[in-house]
Amino acid sequence: GYAQKRPLNAYVIGFYNLENLFDTIDDPIKNDAQFLPNGDYAWGTLKYTNKLQKMAYAISQMPKNLAILGVSEIENINVLEDLVKEPAILNRNLKPILVEGPDRRGIDVGLLYNSKLFTPTNVTSTRITTELENFFTRDQLCVSGILDGEEIHIIVNHWPSRSGGEKRSKPRRAEAARTTKHICDSLFALNPNAKIVVMGDLNDDPIDPSVTEELGAKSKIGQTKPGELFNTTYAFYKQGIGTLAYQDQWNLFDQIIISHAWLNKDRKTLSYWKTEIFNKDFLKQQEGRYKGYPLRTHSGGVWTNGYSDHFPCLIWVVKYK
C-alpha cells in the first residue's frame, strides 16, 4: 500500500547580511563616522528608520516558521532591539543575541530567534587568534539551544573581506575558517553527533580553499561522513546562482553548512530538507545596468533606500510530529 503521509514539523534557519545596520549615535570607540547625521551618508533618523522598516519587511516575507536568523553587519545590540520592535515582525516573537567584538569598522554578527520555537542555552563568542598584525575582524558567535526538543548549535560568521584583493586577504579567511573548524571540533568532541549549522558571509565561494580545505565542507551529501560538514549552498553556486553581484559576476558568499547529523533520512529527529536563496523580486534592482542585483541602501554613495547588497539564504529542517 501507499506510505502514510505523516505530518511534519518544519523549521527555517537562515542567514542575512543586513549591510551596515548602524544607528545614528556617535560611538566613541567605533569607526561609525560615515553613519552619522554629519557623515558621508548623512545618516539621520529618516534613513535609519527606513532601513529598519526595510529589514523588517524582508524578514516578514520569510516563512512563518523561521526559527533562527543569523545576521551580520550590525553595529550593536541596540539596533537589533529596534529591529525586532518593528510592526512588520512584532508577531514573530524575535529576540536578539549579540556580543560586541573588535572589528575596526565597528560591525558584529548577531542572531535573531523566535522565542516560541527556539530556546538558547549557551552563547560563546570566539576571537580569531592571528599572527597577522593589525588584524581586527568579527568574532564568531556560537549559540547552542533547543529546537523541537533537540540540542542544536548555530555558528554565525562574517569572515574577513576581500578588500585589498582576494589573494592578499586569503590568509585571513583561512584563519577564520580554521577558527570555525576549531569550534565545530570542540562541539564534536562533546558529542560526535552534534547538530551544527555554520552560517555566514564567508567572503569566499563554496569552491574556495577556505571552505573546502580549511573548514572541510563537502559538496555532496553522499561524501559527508559523521563528524564532517556538508555545504547546502554548493549546488546553487554550481548553477550560477549567487547572493551578491560585483562587477557583473555573481558570488555566493552567504552560505549555510551543516554537520552530518542533520542528514538522517528517517525524519525521526530533525533532518535537513532543502535550501533556498531568498532572492525575491522586491529585494532586487528593477531596471538599468544592475537589473536583478540586490537593491542596496547606498549605491555609489547615493542613498537608494534599498535593503542590502546580499540576498538571505535559508534552510528547512523537518521532523515527524
Side-chain angles (χ1 to χ4, degrees):
Y2 292 103
Q4 287 276 263
K5 277 271 189 234
R6 284 177 61 184
L8 286 164
N9 285 335
Y11 305 96
V12 172
I13 299 172
F15 174 78
Y16 195 8
N17 178 332
L18 302 184
E19 192 192 11
N20 295 323
L21 182 53
F22 279 84
D23 61 25
T24 60
I25 301 155
D26 189 2
D27 185 323
I29 299 166
K30 293 188 168 180
N31 178 8
D32 61 355
Q34 274 190 310
F35 288 92
L36 292 172
N38 58 358
D40 295 354
Y41 290 137
W43 192 250
T45 306
L46 169 85
K47 291 181 180 178
Y48 177 54
T49 316
N50 274 35
K51 175 74 173 176
L52 288 172
Q53 283 171 356
K54 286 283 199 285
M55 299 290 85
Y57 180 75
I59 295 168
S60 78
Q61 297 306 296
M62 292 178 189
K64 286 280 179 276
N65 42 2
L66 178 73
I68 293 163
L69 185 68
V71 287
S72 69
E73 297 203 13
I74 313 300
E75 187 180 12
N76 50 45
I77 189 75
N78 306 348
V79 296
L80 290 184
E81 298 280 8
D82 287 347
L83 176 59
V84 299
K85 290 190 193 102
E86 281 290 316
I89 53 174
L90 258 184
N91 62 345
R92 297 293 188 115
N93 310 296
L94 293 174
K95 302 260 187 297
I97 296 174
L98 181 141
V99 179
E100 289 279 341
D103 179 72
R104 58 157 55 119
R105 267 182 61 210
I107 52 172
D108 296 304
V109 296
L111 189 90
L112 302 174
Y113 65 93
N114 181 332
S115 54
K116 293 210 160 134
L117 300 177
F118 178 74
T119 308
T121 52
N122 192 43
V123 176
T124 57
S125 192
T126 305
R127 192 139 300 175
I128 296 171
T129 50
T130 177
E131 309 295 304
L132 303 165
E133 58 183 319
N134 296 329
F135 177 45
F136 301 100
T137 191
R138 277 74 60 177
D139 290 348
Q140 300 188 2
L141 180 70
C142 180
V143 178
S144 302
I146 306 298
L147 179 68
D148 201 343
E150 291 181 43
E151 183 178 50
I152 66 167
H153 312 275
I154 311 288
I155 306 169
V156 190
N157 293 274
H158 185 183
W159 290 358
S161 81
R162 293 184 165 196
S163 65
E166 189 268 330
K167 291 268 189 297
R168 213 186 116 225
S169 56
K170 195 175 175 180
R172 299 179 162 181
R173 280 185 299 285
E175 287 191 322
R178 284 195 287 275
T179 302
T180 310
K181 174 95 169 61
H182 176 75
I183 300 169
C184 291
D185 288 344
S186 308
L187 293 168
F188 286 137
L190 295 169
N191 174 9
N193 295 314
K195 283 193 166 148
I196 305 171
V197 180
V198 172
M199 58 166 66
D201 173 358
L202 307 185
N203 272 303
D204 262 339
D205 284 314
I207 55 164
D208 285 317
S210 62
V211 183
T212 57
E213 288 162 34
E214 304 289 355
L215 186 59
K218 307 285 185 228
S219 59
K220 296 192 171 68
I221 288 181
Q223 298 168 347
T224 313
K225 301 184 185 70
E228 292 183 340
L229 303 169
F230 164 65
N231 194 337
T232 76
T233 37
Y234 187 92
F236 284 112
Y237 180 75
K238 281 303 198 198
Q239 293 161 31
I241 296 167
T243 54
L244 75 159
Y246 181 66
Q247 294 178 342
D248 300 324
Q249 185 195 333
W250 282 93
N251 289 99
L252 206 160
F253 288 174
D254 305 85
Q255 299 173 45
I256 299 184
I257 295 165
I258 60 176
S259 61
H260 177 271
W262 292 99
L263 304 175
N264 65 74
K265 289 281 184 284
D266 65 15
R267 309 257 192 261
K268 287 190 185 112
T269 64
L270 287 170
S271 50
Y272 169 69
W273 178 32
K274 65 175 183 179
T275 303
E276 156 183 15
I277 306 297
F278 193 76
N279 51 8
K280 302 291 184 224
D281 280 346
F282 74 88
L283 292 171
K284 295 177 184 166
Q285 205 140 317
Q286 293 304 322
E287 70 277 292
R289 186 177 153 208
Y290 300 114
K291 188 178 170 165
Y293 282 28
L295 177 62
R296 25 189 326 178
T297 304
H298 292 98
S299 184
V302 178
W303 186 52
T304 45
N305 195 19
Y307 294 84
S308 167
D309 54 348
H310 292 247
F311 293 135
C313 172
L314 310 174
I315 65 165
W316 295 70
V317 297
V318 294
K319 175 182 182 172
Y320 284 129
K321 287 184 175 166

